[in-house]
Amino acid sequence: MGRAGQYAALLCYLVFLAFPLFWLVSSAFKSPQELGTVDPSWLPQHWSLDNFRDAFDQQPLARSALNSLIVACSAAGISVLIAVPAAYAMVRYRSPVSKAATGWILVSQMFPFVLVIIPLFLVLKNFQLINSLFGLILVYVVWNLPFALWMLQGYVRAVPASLEEAAAIDGCSRFRTLVSVVFPLLTPGLVATLMFSFVTAWNEFFFALVLLKSPEKQTMSVILTHFLGDEGAADLGPLAAAAFLATLPSLLFFALLQRRLVSGMVSGAVKG
Amino acid sequence: MTVADPAPPPASGPGTRTPGHRGSPPPRSVRERRTAFGLDRDAWFLLLPALLPILILSVGPLLYGLSLAFTDAQAGRTDPTQWIGFDNFADLRHDTLFWDSFRIGLVWAVSVTAIQFVLALGLALLLNQNLRFRWLARTLALVPWAMPEVVIGIMWRLVYHQDAGILNATLRDLHLITENVNWLSSLSLALPAVIAVGVWAGMPQTTVVLLAGLQNVPHELHEAAALDGAGLWRRFRAVTWPALKPIVLSITALNFIWNFNSFGLVYVLTQGGPGGETRLPMLFAYEEAFRYGQFGYAAAMGMVMIAVIAVLLTIFLRNRLKEADQ
């Protein structure tokens, strides 16, 4: 394949990728009248924010964004906080436990979630944690943990053991070593894992759909489905506007962190 | 499931703790000093905050979920749940709707995984070349990954929309169709239409992983092969593919499983319609559990799904754990 062919292929790919994205943004900024016409134009004739206003009027969008933010931040924070020491221990102490945990990380990717959500639903119900953001945070923490552990292990491996041995020789306790030697070196990995967990929790839909019942408790991904209405009779403008808004935080984090995310994702799949 | 119960019994306190912590002579290596399960107290202290939640909120529920499959558990019933042995599975055997969804799930998972892989491999090979604007493609390639699946579903509903959708408008401009197609409501087109969305949504991750794999392919080997007069295809077969194979195996197995278990995308696109043509097994089980309250029955469905996946998982894990062990 010549150069020209390669560029043509690249172009095709970019079109395939950008086509729906472009349409989402364009639809979000069209006026309601324009969306009603049968012959749609590529770009809005008059850029309008009406859809955004309507979206906030129709559904508790602001409330749901706040819920999503609370849930995603807490889940990310807590999972990283407990994953860092564990990832460290898994790398530094080769043992059956580390192996079992690694196996579990893989296995946990495989469940049909329905098998887990039914018992979780029953358990959380017993503790009055259905329709509670706290309950959802708990679930997200546990479901983020395997991947967080996985990503962080890669970063821990990159910290030379000799540094720690030197600290030990200087009389540092294991805990002290962890806090003042290992942690600072892990910062990039920590940030990456944090953002990854945030994005996962922000985007998650299934658990949120099952566990959150009342609209004022629901997260953004669940609220978005309310815009669809019954039998697909959706009000397209507000639907597009709300969907556009819901991607912004993930996209922002993603833009900040693109490089690291890639290496994190890859380390999971490539290095093992 | 080969490694379904990797959980050790909760630490009963490593009783045989070796002396030597703070202030004692430093160990020769950080890795020595072992007790219970080869771990000393420090290690348990570090591990437990992560292991306990995993045990309580994911290993536990999974086992509970497996046991629910043998009961007549239902939502909101007051009399105690009965143990009914294999009755759910017996019912499931005759549930043609479930097997329809199972078949649809397999078609969906195989098509999405295969198409995704072929496109992603082509793209990864392309992005591995020295092209201008490659950074742009690489960056954009990950955007679908960062989007919530609900948004992806909504976005494609806007594209597929019969009257206001851009797809019909474009096809009409190109004179490929004369009448607007109702993509998501057509019995024959709905499944291909959602498969296309599945491919779109999952391709980036596969591409990135394959791209990373390609960068591990030794460059000298390529050059040597080229000097020996090997053509593009020969070089791919002899050099690139062998180096890529382990990654291909794992990413394909994972993709298949994720796709088979997927829910949100199709839930938003079609809710399983029209006429159940896109009702994936997870959608079916979800409805059974949370619309009709049949917890036991839905758990049995989950178990059948996991049985199929387990076969693939064993093959997959055997390779992966070997690598991880090195």
Side-chain angles (χ1 to χ4, degrees):
Chain A
M1 191 159 61
R3 270 284 121 123
Q6 290 182 348
Y7 280 110
L10 198 63
L11 188 72
C12 283
Y13 164 69
L14 284 177
V15 168
F16 174 58
L17 194 76
F19 182 76
L21 287 169
F22 173 82
W23 190 242
L24 175 70
V25 180
S26 160
S27 303
F29 288 99
K30 278 180 181 171
S31 68
Q33 298 87 305
E34 209 184 330
L35 278 163
T37 58
V38 191
D39 199 16
S41 60
W42 281 86
L43 281 168
Q45 319 263 275
H46 310 281
W47 293 75
S48 140
L49 291 174
D50 289 1
N51 294 327
F52 292 89
R53 198 198 53 217
D54 292 348
F56 280 95
D57 285 348
Q58 285 176 18
Q59 299 289 341
L61 206 55
R63 178 72 233 180
S64 73
L66 183 66
N67 291 341
S68 281
L69 202 66
I70 294 171
V71 170
C73 287
S74 323
I78 299 171
S79 24
V80 169
L81 202 66
I82 59 186
V84 171
Y88 172 80
M90 284 171 70
V91 172
R92 285 292 183 255
Y93 304 81
R94 282 255 161 214
S95 80
V97 179
S98 317
K99 227 191 251 180
T102 312
W104 180 255
I105 290 169
L106 292 172
V107 172
S108 69
Q109 308 283 311
M110 321 286 166
F111 301 140
F113 278 163
V114 73
L115 212 53
V116 186
I117 191 73
I118 299 171
L120 266 178
F121 182 84
L122 294 172
V123 170
L124 291 176
K125 205 172 161 197
N126 275 332
F127 290 99
Q128 313 278 316
L129 287 174
I130 297 295
N131 206 18
S132 124
L133 293 184
F134 181 65
L136 192 66
I137 292 171
L138 277 181
V139 173
Y140 283 174
V141 165
V142 172
W143 288 95
N144 269 341
L145 263 178
F147 200 81
L149 281 172
W150 188 285
M151 260 176 93
L152 284 168
Q153 277 187 61
Y155 288 99
V156 173
R157 253 183 232 120
V159 176
S162 57
L163 267 183
E164 291 168 57
E165 282 163 31
I169 290 167
D170 289 345
C172 274
S173 70
R174 177 70 52 74
F175 183 70
R176 189 65 204 287
T177 311
L178 196 58
V179 171
S180 43
V181 179
V182 181
F183 249 63
L185 289 171
L186 284 181
T187 315
L190 233 124
V191 175
T193 313
L194 207 62
M195 293 200 183
F196 190 91
S197 305
F198 177 93
V199 171
T200 316
W202 178 276
N203 291 354
E204 207 282 335
F205 174 61
F206 184 58
F207 288 129
L209 175 72
V210 173
L211 295 178
L212 303 172
K213 295 292 163 210
S214 52
E216 72 273 14
K217 285 283 163 71
Q218 285 171 338
T219 54
M220 216 157 169
S221 52
V222 184
I223 285 292
L224 284 179
T225 61
H226 295 329
F227 284 102
L228 290 170
D230 292 327
E231 302 301 315
D235 198 350
L236 297 180
L239 177 70
F244 174 71
L245 287 178
T247 41
L248 287 183
S250 323
L251 283 182
L252 184 78
F253 266 174
F254 160 79
L256 286 174
L257 198 73
Q258 201 240 113
R259 229 162 257 254
R260 292 222 182 99
L261 274 180
V262 172
S263 69
M265 269 162 66
V266 167
S267 72
V270 179
K271 288 175 205 139
Chain B
M1 297 234 310
T2 42
V3 279
D5 312 303
S12 52
T16 51
R17 174 190 166 207
T18 42
H21 277 266
R22 222 166 270 246
S24 62
R28 198 165 50 83
S29 152
V30 193
R31 292 175 201 194
E32 282 168 23
R33 299 188 307 172
R34 337 194 112 186
T35 55
F37 293 100
L39 295 171
D40 67 8
R41 180 184 277 187
D42 290 355
W44 279 112
F45 176 74
L46 296 171
L47 278 171
L48 282 183
L51 289 187
L52 279 182
I54 290 181
L55 282 177
I56 296 168
L57 281 167
S58 73
V59 182
L62 180 71
L63 297 177
Y64 184 13
L66 293 174
S67 76
L68 276 173
F70 301 97
T71 69
D72 60 355
Q74 282 176 21
R77 72 188 264 167
T78 42
D79 50 323
T81 298
Q82 298 286 320
W83 194 261
I84 55 166
F86 285 91
D87 285 7
N88 283 329
F89 294 94
D91 289 348
L92 212 46
R93 257 187 60 196
H94 305 292
D95 190 337
T96 48
L97 283 181
F98 174 70
W99 293 109
D100 279 346
S101 83
F102 205 84
R103 181 183 50 79
I104 293 166
L106 285 177
V107 171
W108 149 271
V110 170
S111 332
V112 173
T113 309
I115 301 172
Q116 197 167 278
F117 173 73
V118 172
L119 291 181
L121 181 63
L123 184 62
L125 287 168
L126 193 66
L127 291 183
N128 204 33
Q129 305 290 314
N130 231 339
L131 293 179
R132 240 178 286 173
F133 305 115
R134 160 175 96 154
W135 62 270
L136 179 69
R138 279 187 183 194
T139 310
L140 283 176
L142 279 168
V143 170
W145 173 82
M147 296 177 76
E149 55 182 352
V150 175
V151 174
I152 297 180
I154 289 173
M155 186 175 75
W156 278 89
R157 276 180 71 142
L158 294 169
V159 170
Y160 281 142
H161 197 277
Q162 188 172 11
D163 301 319
I166 190 67
L167 184 59
N168 278 336
T170 308
L171 291 177
R172 240 182 4 217
D173 288 348
L174 296 171
H175 300 288
L176 291 170
I177 54 169
T178 45
E179 294 224 341
N180 281 357
V181 181
N182 199 346
W183 298 95
L184 295 172
S185 309
S186 144
L187 284 178
S188 55
L189 290 174
L191 188 57
V194 291
I195 286 173
V197 181
V199 170
W200 189 90
M203 215 174 75
Q205 189 159 353
T206 313
T207 307
V208 170
V209 170
L210 290 175
L211 196 54
L214 283 177
Q215 272 150 16
N216 290 338
V217 176
H219 208 67
E220 312 82 64
L221 269 181
H222 249 290
E223 283 164 5
L227 277 180
D228 288 346
L232 214 59
W233 175 243
R234 273 299 301 274
R235 269 182 285 158
F236 177 77
R237 282 295 310 267
V239 181
T240 313
W241 185 250
L244 213 54
K245 225 167 115 186
I247 295 170
V248 169
L249 193 73
S250 50
I251 193 68
T252 313
L254 274 174
N255 277 344
F256 177 83
I257 292 158
W258 283 330
N259 288 326
F260 190 69
N261 289 336
S262 70
F263 175 82
L265 211 55
V266 176
Y267 179 90
V268 174
L269 279 166
T270 62
Q271 299 217 281
E277 284 301 313
T278 61
R279 194 196 279 131
L280 302 181
M282 268 291 285
L283 282 136
F284 194 79
Y286 164 79
E287 282 185 359
E288 207 59 42
F290 296 100
R291 187 159 300 163
Y292 306 115
Q294 301 293 339
F295 286 157
Y297 195 52
M301 289 179 188
M303 224 155 128
V304 172
M305 287 169 70
I306 222 171
V308 172
I309 289 167
V311 176
L312 290 153
L313 185 65
T314 359
I315 303 166
F316 166 70
L317 273 182
R318 206 176 290 146
N319 290 287
R320 283 307 295 277
L321 285 181
K322 247 186 251 157
E323 287 166 36
D325 254 2
Q326 287 168 5

